Amino acid sequence: MTQQVIYEQPLNERIRNLMRLDHLFSNVATSFDHTSVWYNRKTVDGLLDILDLLSRSDIKGELTKEMERLMQSLANLANRQGVDTSVLQGVLAEMEQLLRELSRVNSQQIIEDLTSNDMISALQRRHHMTGGKCNFDQPAYHFWLEQPEASKREDLTRWFSPFQPLRNATGLVLRLIRESASAEDTVAPSGFLQRPLDTSKPNQMVRILLERSAPYYPEISGGKHRFSIRFLEYRPQQKPVQTDQDVTFRLMCCCL
């Protein structure tokens, strides 16, 4: 187990939505290959969450714009001293391929195709109702959950495969952004730090690397002009409070 915990804060709405989508895909990936009914339920819940996010936001459009912006930023690095052009060209080629795949994705059609399935449609309508997917509420779902694992795996693969270009592109964009900065040793006096941001730069994300043994965690807020960090002491039976200690941690301001 790594000795550091990473905390992240997106600095604009586009990155916020992409991080949410990436989080949902990661949750699904964790449960997808397990065979118990409860993991099956978790995987289907992830599918419903993804459908909900895609229906409320133009993820494909925002992702396409971000990829095009990053490609231009990376292309501008080609003539800089110390840049490995072979690695750079490989990344650009991968992004071009993902953009082509992304262009063929029709999010609305994916949603319509999935919700044309009566079981998924019924689950979607009750997804945010507490206990709304109990066996007695959803007999078709109960029936599906009791089918052979190979049959369920085939259905899940078919339902998730249209999302693969979105998942691949989102993962690459966030990886490039996360790798765009180096971690610097930083101190938050009495558990608080505020910094301005250079608005002429495309600030995307703040990352904090904190020792796992630390008795506090960061509460981060930020936007276009600045970000602030408060380190709160975790108290299981009480309200957390800002530590009065000087906190040493590693900070990454991701800008690409």
Side-chain angles (χ1 to χ4, degrees):
M1 180 181 292
T2 178
Q3 297 304 306
Q4 292 184 320
V5 181
I6 300 176
Y7 299 86
E8 297 180 326
Q9 177 66 33
L11 296 176
N12 59 66
E13 189 63 23
R14 178 181 293 173
I15 300 303
R16 186 173 290 111
N17 280 330
L18 294 184
M19 289 178 68
R20 285 173 176 151
L21 184 61
D22 185 61
H23 169 79
L24 294 176
F25 281 134
S26 296
N27 279 349
V28 166
T30 300
S31 61
F32 191 90
D33 291 329
H34 291 270
T35 57
S36 79
V37 166
W38 293 106
Y39 275 110
N40 293 154
R41 284 181 173 274
K42 184 178 179 181
T43 303
V44 172
D45 282 347
L47 174 67
L48 298 173
D49 285 335
I50 291 169
L51 287 175
D52 187 42
L53 181 58
L54 291 179
S55 67
R56 291 185 288 107
S57 305
D58 181 17
I59 295 289
K60 176 191 171 181
E62 291 300 309
L63 182 55
T64 299
K65 291 176 183 177
E66 188 62 19
M67 289 190 71
E68 292 172 343
R69 189 192 67 78
L70 287 178
M71 288 180 69
Q72 184 60 54
S73 296
L74 291 173
N76 292 337
L77 298 176
N79 297 322
R80 286 195 182 182
Q81 187 175 2
V83 172
D84 188 328
T85 55
S86 62
V87 172
L88 179 59
Q89 291 305 318
V91 172
L92 289 173
E94 182 181 0
M95 295 185 79
E96 288 176 356
Q97 176 62 31
L98 289 175
L99 268 177
R100 285 193 292 270
E101 295 175 5
L102 197 59
S103 69
R104 295 191 287 270
V105 172
N106 185 329
S107 299
Q108 188 58 42
Q109 190 62 53
I110 293 174
I111 294 171
E112 290 177 4
D113 289 346
L114 284 169
T115 53
S116 67
N117 179 305
D118 287 344
M119 183 189 80
I120 293 178
S121 179
L123 290 171
Q124 187 184 40
R125 288 194 298 271
R126 301 175 70 87
H127 182 45
H128 297 294
M129 181 183 298
T130 303
K133 294 191 286 293
C134 288
N135 292 337
F136 64 85
D137 278 318
Q138 302 287 339
Y141 189 34
H142 185 31
F143 174 84
W144 181 84
L145 288 167
E146 295 301 326
Q147 296 308 296
E149 193 59 37
S151 174
K152 289 186 289 185
R153 183 73 46 219
E154 181 180 341
D155 286 339
L156 290 170
T157 299
R158 185 176 67 256
W159 294 340
F160 278 104
S161 59
F163 297 117
Q164 198 61 42
L166 285 170
R167 181 186 181 188
N168 292 340
T170 299
L172 179 60
V173 164
L174 293 177
R175 177 171 66 82
L176 290 173
I177 289 172
R178 286 170 173 138
E179 293 176 353
S180 68
S182 299
E184 60 177 69
D185 293 329
T186 309
V187 176
S190 300
F192 180 77
L193 178 72
Q194 184 175 79
R195 279 195 183 177
L197 290 166
D198 184 347
T199 57
S200 67
K201 296 180 179 179
N203 301 292
Q204 305 289 337
M205 184 191 303
V206 172
R207 307 183 83 208
I208 292 173
L209 288 68
L210 189 65
E211 291 300 318
R212 186 175 296 277
S213 58
Y216 29 67
Y217 62 91
E219 182 181 77
I220 316 167
S221 60
K224 181 179 180 180
H225 299 285
R226 67 185 62 84
F227 67 88
S228 61
I229 305 167
R230 288 199 309 149
F231 286 90
L232 303 179
E233 294 181 357
Y234 179 71
R235 300 181 175 185
Q237 306 301 323
Q238 302 176 47
K239 184 177 179 179
V241 296
Q242 182 176 319
T243 184
D244 58 5
Q245 301 179 42
D246 292 348
V247 178
T248 300
F249 64 102
R250 307 199 78 198
L251 174 67
M252 299 174 70
C253 296
C254 302
C255 176
L256 180 61

mmCIF file of all heavy atoms in Angstrom, residues 218-247:
data_model
loop_
_atom_site.group_PDB
_atom_site.id
_atom_site.type_symbol
_atom_site.label_atom_id
_atom_site.label_comp_id
_atom_site.label_asym_id
_atom_site.label_seq_id
_atom_site.Cartn_x
_atom_site.Cartn_y
_atom_site.Cartn_z
ATOM 1 N N PRO A 218 -7.263 17.281 3.715
ATOM 2 C CA PRO A 218 -7.462 18.622 3.160
ATOM 3 C C PRO A 218 -8.888 18.838 2.659
ATOM 4 O O PRO A 218 -9.487 17.963 2.028
ATOM 5 C CB PRO A 218 -6.468 18.662 1.995
ATOM 6 C CG PRO A 218 -6.407 17.247 1.527
ATOM 7 C CD PRO A 218 -6.587 16.394 2.758
ATOM 8 N N GLU A 219 -9.409 19.992 2.947
ATOM 9 C CA GLU A 219 -10.652 20.467 2.336
ATOM 10 C C GLU A 219 -10.233 21.552 1.344
ATOM 11 O O GLU A 219 -9.692 22.583 1.735
ATOM 12 C CB GLU A 219 -11.590 21.038 3.397
ATOM 13 C CG GLU A 219 -12.921 21.507 2.850
ATOM 14 C CD GLU A 219 -13.803 22.076 3.946
ATOM 15 O OE1 GLU A 219 -13.556 23.218 4.369
ATOM 16 O OE2 GLU A 219 -14.713 21.354 4.396
ATOM 17 N N ILE A 220 -10.456 21.310 0.061
ATOM 18 C CA ILE A 220 -9.935 22.174 -0.998
ATOM 19 C C ILE A 220 -11.089 22.886 -1.689
ATOM 20 O O ILE A 220 -12.112 22.278 -1.998
ATOM 21 C CB ILE A 220 -9.156 21.359 -2.055
ATOM 22 C CG1 ILE A 220 -8.232 20.348 -1.396
ATOM 23 C CG2 ILE A 220 -8.369 22.279 -2.979
ATOM 24 C CD1 ILE A 220 -7.683 19.301 -2.346
ATOM 25 N N SER A 221 -10.910 24.157 -1.944
ATOM 26 C CA SER A 221 -11.847 24.906 -2.784
ATOM 27 C C SER A 221 -11.020 25.716 -3.771
ATOM 28 O O SER A 221 -9.897 26.127 -3.470
ATOM 29 C CB SER A 221 -12.744 25.821 -1.940
ATOM 30 O OG SER A 221 -11.959 26.764 -1.220
ATOM 31 N N GLY A 222 -11.558 25.914 -4.942
ATOM 32 C CA GLY A 222 -10.777 26.649 -5.937
ATOM 33 C C GLY A 222 -11.577 26.975 -7.164
ATOM 34 O O GLY A 222 -12.642 26.407 -7.417
ATOM 35 N N GLY A 223 -11.071 27.902 -7.926
ATOM 36 C CA GLY A 223 -11.690 28.320 -9.169
ATOM 37 C C GLY A 223 -10.647 28.906 -10.082
ATOM 38 O O GLY A 223 -9.465 28.573 -10.003
ATOM 39 N N LYS A 224 -11.075 29.822 -10.917
ATOM 40 C CA LYS A 224 -10.191 30.382 -11.935
ATOM 41 C C LYS A 224 -9.076 31.236 -11.335
ATOM 42 O O LYS A 224 -7.955 31.257 -11.849
ATOM 43 C CB LYS A 224 -11.025 31.216 -12.910
ATOM 44 C CG LYS A 224 -10.233 31.852 -14.036
ATOM 45 C CD LYS A 224 -11.142 32.621 -14.963
ATOM 46 C CE LYS A 224 -10.345 33.264 -16.099
ATOM 47 N NZ LYS A 224 -11.224 34.036 -17.028
ATOM 48 N N HIS A 225 -9.357 31.942 -10.238
ATOM 49 C CA HIS A 225 -8.415 32.948 -9.742
ATOM 50 C C HIS A 225 -7.525 32.475 -8.594
ATOM 51 O O HIS A 225 -6.406 32.976 -8.438
ATOM 52 C CB HIS A 225 -9.186 34.190 -9.297
ATOM 53 C CG HIS A 225 -9.961 34.840 -10.407
ATOM 54 N ND1 HIS A 225 -9.358 35.592 -11.380
ATOM 55 C CD2 HIS A 225 -11.290 34.824 -10.692
ATOM 56 C CE1 HIS A 225 -10.284 36.037 -12.227
ATOM 57 N NE2 HIS A 225 -11.452 35.580 -11.831
ATOM 58 N N ARG A 226 -8.000 31.524 -7.793
ATOM 59 C CA ARG A 226 -7.224 31.117 -6.623
ATOM 60 C C ARG A 226 -7.744 29.777 -6.115
ATOM 61 O O ARG A 226 -8.815 29.318 -6.506
ATOM 62 C CB ARG A 226 -7.311 32.164 -5.517
ATOM 63 C CG ARG A 226 -8.684 32.317 -4.911
ATOM 64 C CD ARG A 226 -8.757 33.456 -3.909
ATOM 65 N NE ARG A 226 -8.466 34.724 -4.548
ATOM 66 C CZ ARG A 226 -9.387 35.452 -5.202
ATOM 67 N NH1 ARG A 226 -10.646 35.018 -5.302
ATOM 68 N NH2 ARG A 226 -9.067 36.594 -5.766
ATOM 69 N N PHE A 227 -6.981 29.209 -5.204
ATOM 70 C CA PHE A 227 -7.458 28.030 -4.479
ATOM 71 C C PHE A 227 -7.026 28.148 -3.025
ATOM 72 O O PHE A 227 -6.063 28.866 -2.689
ATOM 73 C CB PHE A 227 -6.943 26.728 -5.097
ATOM 74 C CG PHE A 227 -5.468 26.511 -4.977
ATOM 75 C CD1 PHE A 227 -4.918 25.886 -3.862
ATOM 76 C CD2 PHE A 227 -4.607 26.928 -5.991
ATOM 77 C CE1 PHE A 227 -3.551 25.692 -3.753
ATOM 78 C CE2 PHE A 227 -3.233 26.734 -5.886
ATOM 79 C CZ PHE A 227 -2.709 26.106 -4.765
ATOM 80 N N SER A 228 -7.740 27.480 -2.160
ATOM 81 C CA SER A 228 -7.396 27.470 -0.738
ATOM 82 C C SER A 228 -7.516 26.048 -0.207
ATOM 83 O O SER A 228 -8.299 25.231 -0.716
ATOM 84 C CB SER A 228 -8.304 28.417 0.057
ATOM 85 O OG SER A 228 -9.657 28.022 -0.052
ATOM 86 N N ILE A 229 -6.721 25.769 0.821
ATOM 87 C CA ILE A 229 -6.684 24.438 1.427
ATOM 88 C C ILE A 229 -6.765 24.594 2.939
ATOM 89 O O ILE A 229 -6.008 25.372 3.526
ATOM 90 C CB ILE A 229 -5.386 23.699 1.065
ATOM 91 C CG1 ILE A 229 -5.187 23.644 -0.458
ATOM 92 C CG2 ILE A 229 -5.396 22.281 1.644
ATOM 93 C CD1 ILE A 229 -3.786 23.216 -0.859
ATOM 94 N N ARG A 230 -7.684 23.887 3.548
ATOM 95 C CA ARG A 230 -7.754 23.802 5.007
ATOM 96 C C ARG A 230 -7.539 22.341 5.397
ATOM 97 O O ARG A 230 -8.196 21.449 4.855
ATOM 98 C CB ARG A 230 -9.126 24.250 5.526
ATOM 99 C CG ARG A 230 -9.392 25.733 5.446
ATOM 100 C CD ARG A 230 -10.527 26.110 6.388
ATOM 101 N NE ARG A 230 -11.713 25.268 6.216
ATOM 102 C CZ ARG A 230 -12.557 24.962 7.193
ATOM 103 N NH1 ARG A 230 -12.335 25.392 8.426
ATOM 104 N NH2 ARG A 230 -13.627 24.231 6.948
ATOM 105 N N PHE A 231 -6.650 22.115 6.325
ATOM 106 C CA PHE A 231 -6.424 20.757 6.813
ATOM 107 C C PHE A 231 -7.244 20.544 8.079
ATOM 108 O O PHE A 231 -7.059 21.264 9.071
ATOM 109 C CB PHE A 231 -4.939 20.521 7.058
ATOM 110 C CG PHE A 231 -4.158 20.364 5.785
ATOM 111 C CD1 PHE A 231 -3.597 21.474 5.170
ATOM 112 C CD2 PHE A 231 -4.018 19.118 5.189
ATOM 113 C CE1 PHE A 231 -2.891 21.342 3.984
ATOM 114 C CE2 PHE A 231 -3.309 18.972 4.010
ATOM 115 C CZ PHE A 231 -2.743 20.087 3.395
ATOM 116 N N LEU A 232 -8.152 19.591 8.011
ATOM 117 C CA LEU A 232 -9.076 19.330 9.099
ATOM 118 C C LEU A 232 -8.695 18.052 9.827
ATOM 119 O O LEU A 232 -8.384 17.034 9.199
ATOM 120 C CB LEU A 232 -10.508 19.198 8.567
ATOM 121 C CG LEU A 232 -11.047 20.390 7.766
ATOM 122 C CD1 LEU A 232 -12.456 20.107 7.273
ATOM 123 C CD2 LEU A 232 -11.025 21.667 8.611
ATOM 124 N N GLU A 233 -8.722 18.113 11.144
ATOM 125 C CA GLU A 233 -8.461 16.927 11.954
ATOM 126 C C GLU A 233 -9.710 16.048 11.975
ATOM 127 O O GLU A 233 -10.804 16.517 12.288
ATOM 128 C CB GLU A 233 -8.071 17.333 13.371
ATOM 129 C CG GLU A 233 -6.740 18.076 13.436
ATOM 130 C CD GLU A 233 -6.357 18.457 14.855
ATOM 131 O OE1 GLU A 233 -7.168 18.187 15.776
ATOM 132 O OE2 GLU A 233 -5.263 19.024 15.051
ATOM 133 N N TYR A 234 -9.517 14.795 11.634
ATOM 134 C CA TYR A 234 -10.637 13.854 11.596
ATOM 135 C C TYR A 234 -10.981 13.397 13.006
ATOM 136 O O TYR A 234 -10.121 12.869 13.731
ATOM 137 C CB TYR A 234 -10.277 12.652 10.728
ATOM 138 C CG TYR A 234 -11.385 11.624 10.652
ATOM 139 C CD1 TYR A 234 -12.555 11.890 9.954
ATOM 140 C CD2 TYR A 234 -11.250 10.391 11.297
ATOM 141 C CE1 TYR A 234 -13.572 10.962 9.881
ATOM 142 C CE2 TYR A 234 -12.264 9.444 11.229
ATOM 143 C CZ TYR A 234 -13.428 9.736 10.519
ATOM 144 O OH TYR A 234 -14.432 8.815 10.456
ATOM 145 N N ARG A 235 -12.242 13.586 13.395
ATOM 146 C CA ARG A 235 -12.698 13.196 14.724
ATOM 147 C C ARG A 235 -13.988 12.385 14.557
ATOM 148 O O ARG A 235 -15.057 12.964 14.305
ATOM 149 C CB ARG A 235 -12.953 14.425 15.593
ATOM 150 C CG ARG A 235 -11.699 15.290 15.783
ATOM 151 C CD ARG A 235 -11.964 16.482 16.664
ATOM 152 N NE ARG A 235 -10.745 17.241 16.932
ATOM 153 C CZ ARG A 235 -10.681 18.286 17.760
ATOM 154 N NH1 ARG A 235 -11.783 18.693 18.399
ATOM 155 N NH2 ARG A 235 -9.539 18.910 17.950
ATOM 156 N N PRO A 236 -13.919 11.070 14.699
ATOM 157 C CA PRO A 236 -15.072 10.205 14.397
ATOM 158 C C PRO A 236 -16.360 10.589 15.112
ATOM 159 O O PRO A 236 -17.446 10.495 14.534
ATOM 160 C CB PRO A 236 -14.594 8.820 14.838
ATOM 161 C CG PRO A 236 -13.103 8.892 14.739
ATOM 162 C CD PRO A 236 -12.741 10.287 15.117
ATOM 163 N N GLN A 237 -16.264 11.029 16.351
ATOM 164 C CA GLN A 237 -17.466 11.319 17.127
ATOM 165 C C GLN A 237 -17.741 12.819 17.269
ATOM 166 O O GLN A 237 -18.658 13.207 18.002
ATOM 167 C CB GLN A 237 -17.344 10.684 18.523
ATOM 168 C CG GLN A 237 -17.044 9.199 18.500
ATOM 169 C CD GLN A 237 -18.100 8.395 17.766
ATOM 170 O OE1 GLN A 237 -19.296 8.696 17.850
ATOM 171 N NE2 GLN A 237 -17.679 7.376 17.039
ATOM 172 N N GLN A 238 -16.936 13.651 16.592
ATOM 173 C CA GLN A 238 -17.104 15.093 16.724
ATOM 174 C C GLN A 238 -16.971 15.759 15.357
ATOM 175 O O GLN A 238 -16.524 15.149 14.381
ATOM 176 C CB GLN A 238 -16.034 15.667 17.668
ATOM 177 C CG GLN A 238 -16.022 15.064 19.062
ATOM 178 C CD GLN A 238 -14.880 15.617 19.881
ATOM 179 O OE1 GLN A 238 -14.643 16.834 19.933
ATOM 180 N NE2 GLN A 238 -14.132 14.736 20.537
ATOM 181 N N LYS A 239 -17.338 17.015 15.323
ATOM 182 C CA LYS A 239 -17.179 17.785 14.105
ATOM 183 C C LYS A 239 -15.689 18.036 13.846
ATOM 184 O O LYS A 239 -14.948 18.394 14.759
ATOM 185 C CB LYS A 239 -17.908 19.129 14.240
ATOM 186 C CG LYS A 239 -17.899 19.974 12.982
ATOM 187 C CD LYS A 239 -18.710 21.242 13.179
ATOM 188 C CE LYS A 239 -18.683 22.096 11.908
ATOM 189 N NZ LYS A 239 -19.484 23.345 12.064
ATOM 190 N N PRO A 240 -15.217 17.831 12.609
ATOM 191 C CA PRO A 240 -13.800 18.081 12.328
ATOM 192 C C PRO A 240 -13.461 19.560 12.501
ATOM 193 O O PRO A 240 -14.285 20.442 12.238
ATOM 194 C CB PRO A 240 -13.637 17.646 10.872
ATOM 195 C CG PRO A 240 -15.008 17.697 10.295
ATOM 196 C CD PRO A 240 -15.947 17.375 11.413
ATOM 197 N N VAL A 241 -12.228 19.825 12.934
ATOM 198 C CA VAL A 241 -11.784 21.203 13.121
ATOM 199 C C VAL A 241 -10.454 21.390 12.409
ATOM 200 O O VAL A 241 -9.683 20.445 12.224
ATOM 201 C CB VAL A 241 -11.619 21.555 14.618
ATOM 202 C CG1 VAL A 241 -12.958 21.492 15.333
ATOM 203 C CG2 VAL A 241 -10.593 20.641 15.282
ATOM 204 N N GLN A 242 -10.168 22.625 12.029
ATOM 205 C CA GLN A 242 -8.902 22.914 11.362
ATOM 206 C C GLN A 242 -7.758 22.718 12.341
ATOM 207 O O GLN A 242 -7.804 23.188 13.485
ATOM 208 C CB GLN A 242 -8.906 24.347 10.831
ATOM 209 C CG GLN A 242 -7.635 24.735 10.081
ATOM 210 C CD GLN A 242 -7.730 26.132 9.499
ATOM 211 O OE1 GLN A 242 -8.760 26.533 8.969
ATOM 212 N NE2 GLN A 242 -6.649 26.880 9.600
ATOM 213 N N THR A 243 -6.730 22.014 11.898
ATOM 214 C CA THR A 243 -5.579 21.780 12.770
ATOM 215 C C THR A 243 -4.832 23.082 13.022
ATOM 216 O O THR A 243 -4.839 23.991 12.186
ATOM 217 C CB THR A 243 -4.633 20.738 12.139
ATOM 218 O OG1 THR A 243 -3.582 20.458 13.055
ATOM 219 C CG2 THR A 243 -4.035 21.240 10.832
ATOM 220 N N ASP A 244 -4.187 23.162 14.157
ATOM 221 C CA ASP A 244 -3.346 24.331 14.444
ATOM 222 C C ASP A 244 -1.871 24.031 14.175
ATOM 223 O O ASP A 244 -0.998 24.850 14.452
ATOM 224 C CB ASP A 244 -3.546 24.804 15.886
ATOM 225 C CG ASP A 244 -3.233 23.714 16.899
ATOM 226 O OD1 ASP A 244 -2.780 22.622 16.502
ATOM 227 O OD2 ASP A 244 -3.446 23.954 18.102
ATOM 228 N N GLN A 245 -1.588 22.861 13.617
ATOM 229 C CA GLN A 245 -0.217 22.492 13.282
ATOM 230 C C GLN A 245 0.165 23.036 11.904
ATOM 231 O O GLN A 245 -0.689 23.244 11.040
ATOM 232 C CB GLN A 245 -0.068 20.963 13.252
ATOM 233 C CG GLN A 245 -0.407 20.265 14.552
ATOM 234 C CD GLN A 245 -0.263 18.765 14.411
ATOM 235 O OE1 GLN A 245 0.687 18.275 13.807
ATOM 236 N NE2 GLN A 245 -1.202 18.023 14.979
ATOM 237 N N ASP A 246 1.463 23.260 11.706
ATOM 238 C CA ASP A 246 1.969 23.539 10.364
ATOM 239 C C ASP A 246 2.012 22.210 9.611
ATOM 240 O O ASP A 246 2.637 21.246 10.083
ATOM 241 C CB ASP A 246 3.370 24.145 10.419
ATOM 242 C CG ASP A 246 3.378 25.552 11.008
ATOM 243 O OD1 ASP A 246 2.292 26.132 11.155
ATOM 244 O OD2 ASP A 246 4.474 26.051 11.322
ATOM 245 N N VAL A 247 1.333 22.151 8.483
ATOM 246 C CA VAL A 247 1.203 20.893 7.748
ATOM 247 C C VAL A 247 2.161 20.881 6.561
ATOM 248 O O VAL A 247 2.123 21.769 5.707
ATOM 249 C CB VAL A 247 -0.244 20.698 7.247
ATOM 250 C CG1 VAL A 247 -0.348 19.411 6.432
ATOM 251 C CG2 VAL A 247 -1.210 20.674 8.416
#
